[in-house]
Structure formats: C-alpha cells, structure tokens
Amino acid sequence: MLGRLDEALARERRFTADAAHELRTPLAALRIQLEVASQSPRPDARRKALLQALAGCERAAHLVSQLLKLARLDQARPALARIDLAALVHAAAQGIAPPACVALTGPWQVAGHAGLLEILLRNLLDNARRYGGPGATVTLRREGDALLVEDNGPGVPPALLARLDERFFRVHPEDSQGVGLGLSIVRRVAQLHGAALSWSNRAEGGFAIRLALPATGQTHGTD
C-alpha cells in the first residue's frame, strides 16, 4: 500500500512539474500580447496582439487538456471489452480536415476500451496531419493484426525518431500548435492495451506509425 502511495505521489509531483514548466511560456507570451494591446495607440497593432493572445489561449487550453489526459492515463486500469476497431477508425478519419483515407473493409474486432482508443486515434491523426504537411495524404490501413497510419509528407529526421514519444518533445519547436504530448498519450494507451507501438520513415517517402494489437481475448492492460 505504501508503495502504491509513493507511486501516486510521484505521479502527482511529475504532473505538477510538467504543467508548471510548460504553461510558463504560453502564459508569458499571452501577458506580453495583452500588454501590447492595452498600450498601443494603433488599432491594427491592437487587433494583431489580441489575435495572437487568443491563439495563445487556445494553445494553453490544448496543453492543459493533454496534460489532464496524461494524468488520468497514468492512473488508468481500464476494463476492456470486445469492440469494432474499424468503426472507430472510420469515425476518427472524418475528424480531421481534409479527412484521412481509410483502407479497411468489414469489421475488426479487438479487445479494447473504446474511449481510450478514440483518444489514441485522434492523436495519431493529429500528429500525421500536422507533421505530414497541408498537402499530405493520411491513410489508415490494416496489416494483419496491426493498424498503420501513414502519410506521404517529409518524414522525420532519423536522429529524432527515438525521441518522438518523449513528453514535450517536438520535431519542430517553432510549431505554435503542437505541445509535444500526442505520442506520449498514444504510447500510454497502447501500453494499457498490451499493444506494440513503433514508427519509421517510409522508404517511398513519408512517415508511418504501426500499432500491433494482441489477438482478441489475449489483450491485457499494463501499468
């Protein structure tokens, strides 16, 4: 019991430290933009500063949302049920713009938690759309018992591949939208499903993430 308590306290300390560290930058930027808007005599400068402040608020809200998801996942021991992964994939593919292409036919029964797998799929697709680029095609397809999420974008520098699921690591630090938590969340959901997660650059160009799910009835969560 004391061991579990120590583990829970360590998770809380990590969450608090992560949140404080990552929120400092967007909040500082937000304050600067609001000061500019309040002091500038030029309407165009005030409007620009307010728009940037709104964008900063959206980024901070997204960061808090992702941090809360990670905090909940750190404590999760989900009950798994028989679900149709293909239906979840088709629904998630319509949630990005433009929609992702889905190369799945028929149902695909897996043992999983529908809510957690929806979070995983949203993060995988968000990652593919953001780093694949505006003109990239994102495709989801089945390969045996694995789901592949592929794009035909520029890929990832090979030296950075091993760091992609580090919390708060971003391939492009100048990206004002990403917060560097998407693949950390994906990794945790995969662990809770006993699934294997891997990624690589595609030989033909682009990037691919592979989620290998255990056969139905063999899936088990991990802590």
Side-chain angles (χ1 to χ4, degrees):
M1 184 181 67
L2 290 174
R4 290 196 297 271
L5 180 60
D6 285 342
E7 182 182 348
L9 290 173
R11 285 196 298 262
E12 292 299 325
R13 286 194 294 268
R14 183 171 67 243
F15 172 77
T16 301
D18 288 347
H21 178 269
E22 291 302 312
L23 283 170
R24 187 179 297 119
T25 298
L27 290 177
L30 178 59
R31 178 174 181 172
I32 290 171
Q33 295 302 331
L34 290 175
E35 287 177 348
V36 170
S38 66
Q39 298 173 9
S40 177
R42 296 169 48 201
D44 58 334
R46 289 198 300 271
R47 176 176 172 77
K48 181 179 179 181
L50 288 172
L51 289 175
Q52 290 178 339
L54 285 173
C57 286
E58 291 177 0
R59 181 173 184 271
H62 179 58
L63 172 59
V64 169
S65 174
Q66 296 289 71
L67 280 168
L68 289 173
K69 287 176 184 175
L70 267 179
R72 295 187 187 108
L73 289 174
D74 277 345
Q75 304 177 50
R77 289 178 176 83
L80 306 183
R82 190 178 181 88
I83 60 173
D84 183 4
L85 182 61
L88 292 180
V89 167
H90 280 280
Q94 299 301 311
I96 61 172
C101 301
V102 179
L104 291 175
T105 57
W108 182 4
Q109 299 296 322
V110 301
H113 185 284
L116 293 181
L117 288 175
E118 286 174 0
I119 291 173
L120 177 146
L121 290 168
R122 283 200 303 269
N123 278 280
L124 285 179
L125 290 169
D126 181 65
N127 182 79
R129 179 62 71 213
R130 175 174 291 119
Y131 295 113
T137 298
V138 178
T139 302
L140 299 100
R141 64 183 180 88
R142 183 176 180 179
E143 185 180 77
D145 288 327
L147 174 69
L148 272 68
V149 181
E150 302 172 316
D151 67 68
N152 59 354
V156 174
L160 302 181
L161 287 172
R163 300 189 60 193
L164 292 184
D165 60 347
E166 290 182 14
R167 292 187 179 192
F168 307 113
F169 175 77
R170 290 183 288 167
V171 174
H172 305 296
E174 71 281 1
D175 180 11
S176 62
Q177 299 300 315
V179 297
L181 288 174
L183 287 183
S184 295
I185 291 172
V186 168
R187 172 71 73 186
R188 182 58 178 151
V189 174
Q191 290 172 344
L192 291 170
H193 285 77
L197 183 70
S198 60
W199 46 73
S200 62
N201 288 313
R202 302 170 66 207
E204 61 271 40
F207 187 69
I209 293 182
R210 186 176 190 272
L211 178 73
L213 295 156
T216 304
Q218 299 180 6
T219 306
H220 59 278
T222 60
D223 298 326

